[in-house]
Amino acid sequence: MILTPLLQHQVDALEYLKVHDPCALFMKYGTGKSLVALAYADHIKAPLVLITNDKTNATDTWVEQIEVHTDFVAVVRPRDKNMYDLCGYDSGTVVCVLVNYDLLPSVSDIYTNLPFTLWIGDESSDFKDTRTNRFYHLNKVVRNIPHKIILNGDPMTERPEDLFGQFKMLDGGQALGRSLTEFRRRHMQLDPLGYRWCLKRSEEHTSELQPQ
């Protein structure tokens, strides 16, 4: 149960989530996107939720958010010996498993076999690079989770290609393409000097990217 009433912009974001799943929720820092994601977990009655983030947020920020705003159970970075106990809570209890991206590769084989209903991938730019070991193991864990949300305040930290890996993790390539080559072909073009890739600006391409 959510204990904190949502503000209007958070209600609007939650309503959007209800009809767009999987979903990337890009909201400015401090606007309560984590509360919106937890409210969505409550909405779908998810019994087991995986929340991934960096080490500090996984152990501190998210635990505080869960304790203050919900009656959910927060379990931080569980290992082998107590992983399967997570499925033993009373029905109706939402259990949130919090794990940081650096730890996930070492436990991905275990996490892959747990019946997570929802994945919340916070700070989604942390897995923007599809070539990394982090991306491989995270994708291994989350690809079959039925409900997915990624969160960020600034998803494009350096270049437009930063978006590709985040959305590939979210939907397997449906939105932006299954490969970086396809993403560039569909959404980018070389600058006049041929040195770097830039987003396309044509009217046809702009209409293609409008929310459906």
Side-chain angles (χ1 to χ4, degrees):
M1 181 172 66
I2 300 299
L3 307 177
T4 303
L6 273 63
L7 300 176
Q8 185 57 53
H9 71 278
Q10 295 167 337
V11 172
D12 294 342
L14 177 59
E15 292 303 312
Y16 186 86
L17 280 178
K18 290 178 181 179
V19 294
H20 296 85
D21 185 355
C23 184
L25 193 60
F26 298 149
M27 298 170 61
K28 292 182 179 179
Y29 294 106
T31 56
K33 55 186 177 291
S34 57
L35 176 56
V36 175
L38 293 171
Y40 185 69
D42 184 63
H43 168 71
I44 65 173
K45 307 301 180 187
L48 193 59
V49 179
L50 175 64
I51 301 174
T52 55
N53 206 315
D54 59 55
K55 183 176 181 180
T56 300
N57 284 327
T59 57
D60 297 328
T61 306
W62 271 98
V63 172
E64 180 183 358
Q65 293 286 315
I66 291 168
E67 291 177 349
V68 170
H69 299 302
T70 78
D71 64 351
F72 301 170
V73 175
V75 182
V76 180
R77 296 183 300 191
R79 294 279 193 158
D80 306 30
K81 61 182 180 181
N82 60 344
M83 282 302 294
Y84 292 101
D85 293 339
L86 297 173
C87 304
Y89 285 91
D90 295 335
S91 61
T93 300
V94 178
V95 179
C96 297
V97 175
L98 307 168
V99 61
N100 53 291
Y101 293 116
D102 291 334
L103 175 66
L104 194 61
S106 67
V107 294
S108 62
D109 288 340
I110 303 167
Y111 280 46
T112 300
N113 294 317
L114 285 168
F116 293 111
T117 306
L118 170 65
W119 168 53
I120 300 172
D122 198 10
E123 301 297 341
S124 58
S125 57
D126 282 356
F127 49 83
K128 64 187 179 183
D129 191 343
T130 60
R131 301 166 297 179
T132 62
N133 191 50
R134 172 182 293 182
F135 186 95
Y136 171 81
H137 286 282
L138 180 61
N139 184 59
K140 177 181 176 181
V141 171
V142 308
R143 61 190 172 193
N144 293 321
I145 298 177
H147 302 281
K148 301 183 182 75
I149 304 170
I150 61 174
L151 307 176
N152 212 316
D154 186 12
M156 195 170 71
T157 55
E158 297 176 0
R159 54 195 184 128
E161 289 95 327
D162 291 347
L163 295 172
F164 169 72
Q166 299 172 60
F167 278 87
K168 178 73 179 293
M169 187 73 72
L170 183 67
D171 64 10
Q174 294 182 30
L176 298 183
R178 295 185 179 277
S179 69
L180 186 57
T181 299
E182 182 182 354
F183 171 76
R184 285 173 170 162
R185 178 180 58 80
R186 290 169 53 185
H187 304 295
M188 304 188 74
Q189 60 190 11
L190 284 171
D191 69 11
L193 297 178
Y195 289 133
R196 64 188 183 93
W197 290 92
C198 305
L199 286 174
K200 291 180 179 179
R201 300 291 185 180
S202 68
E203 181 178 345
E204 178 183 359
H205 185 260
T206 301
S207 63
E208 178 188 343
L209 294 178
Q210 292 300 314
Q212 301 297 316

